[in-house]
Amino acid sequence: MKHIYFYDCPRTGGTSFKHWSRRAAGLKRVYFGGSQIWHHVPFSPRDKVRELAPKGSEFYTLTLLRDPVEHTASLYSKIRVHKHSYREKLKGLSFQNWIYGRFEADRKTAPDPWGFSMVRFYDPETGDLNRAIENIESIDFVGFTDRLDKDLNLFLDQIGSNLKYDRSRKNAVRRAYHISPKDRAHILRIRSDDLILVNHFREKRGLKPYA
């Protein structure tokens, strides 16, 4: 049986994969870790993760990255409906008021479960960009949220699985606000480290970088 460890950075598609994997008969050993939401543990290097799988078993690691702007929008939408202390800070704040207001400061102090920073997620100890990239380099497959179905099926093909990922449970962002080019540029300025991180792996895959 194949064992998969999914490094679940919040708001990248992990919930969709989680629900699908529960129904997939050939993937009964899928571990969701790295995310403080599911297991309340920090990112773990591959050698520590391997301890989850029985000795001698097939073991694969997987993660998903996301356009920092779409990630920010998804974060805002999720927090507004989730029962969490940070939700109170968003009371009365539109998306634009938030990103031009307290978002930059909150990104440095907000609790990790919300995934304000992909760099901090992949290097929780120091939040260092180069170390985060190095940690992700050790993962077998790096996919992208905007290619969720394609990349998860590509991953399944690469590990020799005959299963096909089918996202029957949509977990898409439902937002009623517009992100202008100015808004996008502002978010990418604040999340410039995340943009470098994600584009590093986009370019490795021969995919168009986010801008």
Side-chain angles (χ1 to χ4, degrees), residues 34-50:
S35 166
Q36 307 236 355
I37 289 178
W38 304 129
H39 282 297
H40 302 282
V41 294
F43 178 91
S44 299
R46 183 182 173 85
D47 58 341
K48 291 184 180 179
V49 168
R50 176 164 277 288

Side-chain angles (χ1 to χ4, degrees), residues 9 24 43 64 67 90 115 118 120 144 147 149 201 206:
C9 183
F43 178 91
L64 293 169
D67 171 8
L90 291 185
M118 284 181 273
R120 275 178 59 201
F144 298 92
R147 296 171 44 92
D149 294 42
F201 291 96

Side-chain angles (χ1 to χ4, degrees), residues 46-102:
R46 183 182 173 85
D47 58 341
K48 291 184 180 179
V49 168
R50 176 164 277 288
E51 297 173 7
L52 288 170
K55 193 175 265 188
S57 65
E58 292 183 272
F59 192 82
Y60 306 92
T61 51
L62 164 71
T63 199
L64 293 169
L65 300 176
R66 190 171 191 174
D67 171 8
V69 175
E70 291 300 319
H71 189 258
T72 302
S74 178
L75 183 67
Y76 174 81
S77 297
K78 180 66 175 180
I79 293 174
R80 281 180 62 86
V81 299
H82 200 284
K83 292 181 179 178
H84 188 273
S85 59
Y86 187 78
R87 181 182 175 184
E88 296 300 310
K89 298 180 181 181
L90 291 185
K91 273 191 173 179
L93 286 180
S94 67
F95 179 71
Q96 278 72 21
N97 286 339
W98 179 56
I99 62 171
Y100 287 102
R102 61 181 306 142

Side-chain angles (χ1 to χ4, degrees), residues 3-187:
H3 291 69
I4 297 171
Y5 189 89
F6 185 88
Y7 294 97
D8 184 24
C9 183
R11 315 313 305 154
T12 60
T15 299
S16 296
F17 184 63
K18 180 181 182 182
H19 285 276
W20 173 81
S21 65
R22 285 174 173 172
R23 306 190 312 272
L27 290 177
K28 291 184 179 177
R29 296 291 183 271
V30 180
Y31 308 93
F32 286 80
S35 166
Q36 307 236 355
I37 289 178
W38 304 129
H39 282 297
H40 302 282
V41 294
F43 178 91
S44 299
R46 183 182 173 85
D47 58 341
K48 291 184 180 179
V49 168
R50 176 164 277 288
E51 297 173 7
L52 288 170
K55 193 175 265 188
S57 65
E58 292 183 272
F59 192 82
Y60 306 92
T61 51
L62 164 71
T63 199
L64 293 169
L65 300 176
R66 190 171 191 174
D67 171 8
V69 175
E70 291 300 319
H71 189 258
T72 302
S74 178
L75 183 67
Y76 174 81
S77 297
K78 180 66 175 180
I79 293 174
R80 281 180 62 86
V81 299
H82 200 284
K83 292 181 179 178
H84 188 273
S85 59
Y86 187 78
R87 181 182 175 184
E88 296 300 310
K89 298 180 181 181
L90 291 185
K91 273 191 173 179
L93 286 180
S94 67
F95 179 71
Q96 278 72 21
N97 286 339
W98 179 56
I99 62 171
Y100 287 102
R102 61 181 306 142
F103 173 65
E104 185 167 10
D106 288 345
R107 186 171 178 259
K108 299 174 183 177
T109 59
D112 286 342
W114 295 110
F116 274 72
S117 166
M118 284 181 273
V119 168
R120 275 178 59 201
F121 174 83
Y122 290 103
D123 180 35
E125 292 183 6
T126 65
D128 179 74
L129 172 60
N130 291 325
R131 283 188 59 181
I133 290 175
E134 186 178 322
N135 285 338
I136 298 174
E137 294 277 10
S138 70
I139 298 173
D140 294 323
F141 187 88
V142 180
F144 298 92
T145 308
D146 60 349
R147 296 171 44 92
L148 187 65
D149 294 42
K150 288 181 181 179
D151 277 353
L152 288 179
N153 280 315
L154 181 60
F155 168 72
L156 291 169
D157 286 343
Q158 288 186 4
I159 68 173
S161 171
N162 59 3
L163 292 171
K164 291 297 178 186
Y165 175 74
D166 176 19
R167 188 171 24 153
S168 60
R169 182 185 186 277
K170 301 292 183 181
N171 193 41
V173 179
R174 293 180 293 276
R175 61 171 182 261
Y177 47 86
H178 172 68
I179 300 177
S180 70
K182 178 185 175 184
D183 297 338
R184 183 172 182 84
H186 178 73
I187 294 170

